[in-house]
Amino acid sequence: MGESLYAVTTMPTARQPGCPFDPPAELTDARRHGPISRYTFPGGRPGWLITGYDLVRSVLAEPRFSSRKELMRHPTIDYGDIEIPPAPPGEFLLMDEPQHSRYRKPLISKFTVRRMRLLTERVERITADHLDAMEEAGPPADLVTAFAKPIPAIMICELLGVPYQDRGSFQEQVDSFMNGETSDEDLIAAYTATQDYLAGLVAAKRANPTDDVLSDLTDSDLTDEELKGIALILLAAGLDTTANMLALGTFALLRNPEQLAALRADPALADGAVEELLRYLSVAKTFMRTALEDVELGGQTIKAGSPVILSYHTANRDPERFADPHVLDLRRRDGGHLAFGHGIHQCLGQQLARVEMRVAFPALVDRFPTLRLAVPPEGVALRPETADIYGVKSLPVTWDA
Amino acid sequence: MRITVDAERCVGSGMCVLTVGEVFDQCQDDGKVIVLRPEPPAETQDAVREAVDLCPAAAIALSADRRP
Ligand code: HEM
Ligand code: SF4
């Protein structure tokens, strides 16, 4: 049976024209053949591509699959046999236990359901301010810069304690290493600038603690280097993801007018709408793991050291888990999507992201009853599939003023 | 139905609280799961089962007896 296993030869770099919300056809095809496919990594290293819901979830729950950075292999670029350094201190997304929980543990009380819900009013205020500004400036607007980016940016900056006057430049830096299109040179420059900024911020918080997560953490045994890493991972994980959910989510609602109308008509739909948009869009679309020992999975033996690509997006579109998976249905109540992952790395900021989206989507559609695209849908510029987080580069919208 | 949790495993995702807030909470100090109703009322039991399934860290267990 190993012989007949489906193999994916190249990872797709773009989606099907006219299907900006659906996974690339190559990945959907792979899933149709079965939940696990072979994929040969650059340089001839045998690896795997997992596209089915159950198998993706079981890999994420399995400690024999590692998240360690130094074990990862790039899925499309051949870096030869160069040694990859481990994740810098504090960047726990790419660590296993026990290092991972050294960092995650002190953070979880800062991101509980209860604490994040207390931020609802603050999110409402920030959202209203940005809608006011859009209304005042009048149509058209780029929803990304006017709405989708600033709301999560302000929230994460306030949580971390980034001073207001630094936010603009800071966000630009973070942007340029997240968009998937920056040249290597600029990427390194932006990354270094962000690192330097955060090192200064940690030092400032240690000297003069204020009421924020970073200051709180100076009261632990974490070093400045570690705090800097934590701050970086919170920003990198918290800004771009939510911003792209808001912008791409709005695009999806505008392309599904009956769904948008349902959300506008029934505020009680908001929670379910957020979960369904998360499932349907899965902007954090693929992550990687590496087998630490031989593991039996889906009838195959994953050899120790083999890299595994996990497609969260196709898992969330798996017809064996979700009925009519390619339909956006805000009334769907299946639950259990993998848009925030699963296992010990499941998104730390998910309750914050939920509060932001829960407030922002309904507020936007309420404020502008005639909101619509200002360009033909095929004219909306999409991120390449090579970006870590999928989304739109800009979303020109207009309305009847 | 009786609920037991393993706070050591809990990664503080909040999925259980989101799913059945009447039954689960998170500790203010360390963010870990707290069971408010170890013997959950009948009308919450389906949601409790869902929370068990959703928990990313397999930190929640159910048993039928009072003494597991
Ligand atoms: C809608 C928005 C978001 C999406 C779709 C998202 C998605 C994800 C996913 C899929 C993972 C798991 C990665 C893996 O399996 O290896 C993750 C981890 C993480 N996310 Fe989010 N995220 C979002 C918002 C946020 C926010 C707002 C924050 C910060 C406040 C945040 C902070 C983190 C951190 C720190 C991790 C690493 C957790 C760990 O390794 O234990 N995320 N996120
Ligand atoms: S769902 Fe599991 S990991 Fe998340 S808070 Fe509850 S017990 Fe902890």
Side-chain angles (χ1 to χ4, degrees):
Chain A
M1 116 168 227
E3 296 305 305
S4 65
L5 193 65
Y6 190 71
V8 172
T9 47
T10 44
M11 283 298 282
T13 53
R15 299 188 175 192
Q16 293 293 100
C19 305
F21 311 119
D22 296 338
E26 293 87 336
L27 299 185
T28 310
D29 283 348
R31 207 222 48 81
R32 205 171 294 127
H33 284 90
I36 178 166
S37 313
R38 291 186 194 283
Y39 173 71
T40 304
F41 278 61
R45 181 189 289 262
W48 303 89
L49 169 68
I50 303 187
T51 49
Y53 179 92
D54 286 342
L55 282 195
V56 168
R57 208 179 118 121
S58 52
V59 169
L60 291 174
E62 169 57 74
R64 289 177 297 170
F65 285 103
S66 170
S67 284
R68 271 154 63 195
K69 186 175 182 186
E70 66 271 31
L71 303 178
M72 299 287 178
R73 288 291 171 274
H74 198 284
T76 54
I77 303 173
D78 190 358
Y79 288 111
D81 273 334
I82 58 158
E83 217 161 279
I84 302 163
E91 295 184 30
F92 57 100
L93 174 68
L94 300 178
M95 295 179 185
D96 293 343
E97 300 305 11
Q99 290 82 2
H100 167 264
S101 66
R102 167 170 171 78
Y103 302 113
R104 179 155 176 144
K105 229 178 183 172
L107 283 167
I108 59 181
S109 66
K110 321 280 182 210
F111 290 92
T112 59
V113 172
R114 189 184 290 266
R115 259 180 109 138
M116 294 303 106
R117 281 186 182 153
L118 289 175
L119 298 175
T120 304
E121 271 178 37
R122 182 68 191 131
V123 179
E124 284 169 353
R125 179 75 259 147
I126 294 165
T127 303
D129 289 347
H130 285 83
L131 292 172
D132 290 348
M134 274 173 71
E135 211 172 353
E136 228 158 83
D142 170 17
L143 197 86
V144 172
T145 46
F147 186 78
K149 272 188 190 171
I151 295 170
I154 293 172
M155 288 312 295
I156 194 75
C157 285
E158 287 187 356
L159 269 171
L160 273 180
V162 174
Y164 190 79
Q165 66 273 18
D166 297 350
R167 279 177 206 160
S169 60
F170 182 67
Q171 204 191 328
E172 250 169 56
Q173 289 164 7
V174 176
D175 250 17
S176 58
F177 69 80
M178 299 295 297
N179 66 15
E181 293 192 302
T182 311
S183 69
D184 280 359
E185 211 171 297
D186 291 348
L187 196 138
I188 292 166
Y191 188 73
T192 313
T194 306
Q195 293 264 6
D196 290 348
Y197 176 78
L198 291 174
L201 187 66
V202 168
K205 298 295 173 194
R206 202 176 282 287
N208 292 303
T210 36
D211 182 17
D212 48 61
V213 168
L214 210 47
S215 297
D216 285 357
L217 290 177
T218 59
D219 204 18
S220 67
D221 70 340
L222 295 164
T223 66
D224 285 8
E225 195 62 23
E226 291 177 313
L227 291 175
K228 188 185 83 178
I230 290 175
L232 187 70
I233 202 89
L234 288 177
L235 283 163
L239 272 181
D240 203 45
T241 43
T242 319
N244 279 296
M245 269 304 300
L246 289 174
L248 193 66
T250 304
F251 185 19
L253 288 171
L254 291 172
R255 297 295 292 145
N256 289 271
E258 65 303 333
Q259 297 289 316
L260 191 154
L263 175 62
R264 199 175 262 140
D266 181 6
L269 212 55
D271 286 329
V274 165
E275 298 308 314
E276 173 65 352
L277 286 165
L278 282 161
R279 180 197 72 84
Y280 181 72
L281 299 171
S282 301
V283 297
K285 56 197 169 15
T286 41
F287 284 85
M288 312 255 316
R289 295 292 188 268
T290 308
L292 292 174
E293 24 182 297
D294 292 2
V295 183
E296 296 297 318
L297 189 77
Q300 306 297 321
T301 304
I302 314 293
K303 291 272 182 212
S306 303
V308 177
I309 304 171
L310 305 171
S311 170
Y312 295 6
H313 199 184
T314 53
N316 279 337
R317 299 289 191 95
D318 186 340
E320 287 175 23
R321 179 61 176 74
F322 301 101
D324 295 325
H326 304 300
V327 173
L328 177 74
D329 175 6
L330 304 186
R331 292 188 185 82
R332 196 188 285 275
R333 286 294 171 271
D334 314 78
H337 64 70
L338 298 173
F340 288 124
H342 187 70
I344 62 165
H345 292 281
Q346 192 185 61
C347 185
L348 174 76
Q350 57 181 297
Q351 308 306 344
L352 173 60
R354 283 193 170 98
V355 169
E356 292 174 346
M357 290 185 281
R358 169 77 183 72
V359 169
F361 283 124
L364 174 71
V365 301
D366 277 354
R367 181 70 72 100
F368 300 112
T370 57
L371 190 74
R372 56 191 180 270
L373 291 177
V375 294
E378 26 332 314
V380 173
L382 303 165
R383 278 192 176 180
E385 210 50 32
T386 45
D388 285 338
I389 306 297
Y390 184 70
V392 294
K393 294 183 196 172
S394 63
L395 189 69
V397 293
T398 190
W399 59 91
D400 299 339
Chain B
M1 176 189 278
R2 188 168 177 89
I3 304 172
T4 47
V5 291
D6 181 347
E8 223 17 73
R9 296 186 71 101
C10 171
V11 294
S13 67
M15 284 310 296
C16 53
V17 186
L18 200 68
T19 310
V20 227
E22 314 90 290
V23 175
F24 298 101
D25 200 354
Q26 285 166 281
C27 171
Q28 289 217 1
D29 297 329
D30 67 9
K32 299 254 185 174
V33 59
I34 299 176
V35 187
L36 303 173
R37 308 284 298 270
E39 288 174 36
E43 69 277 11
T44 64
Q45 293 190 356
D46 282 346
V48 168
R49 278 185 208 99
E50 194 187 345
V52 171
D53 179 53
L54 290 177
C55 174
I60 313 171
L62 299 180
S63 56
D65 333 322
R66 298 180 135 264
R67 285 172 196 287

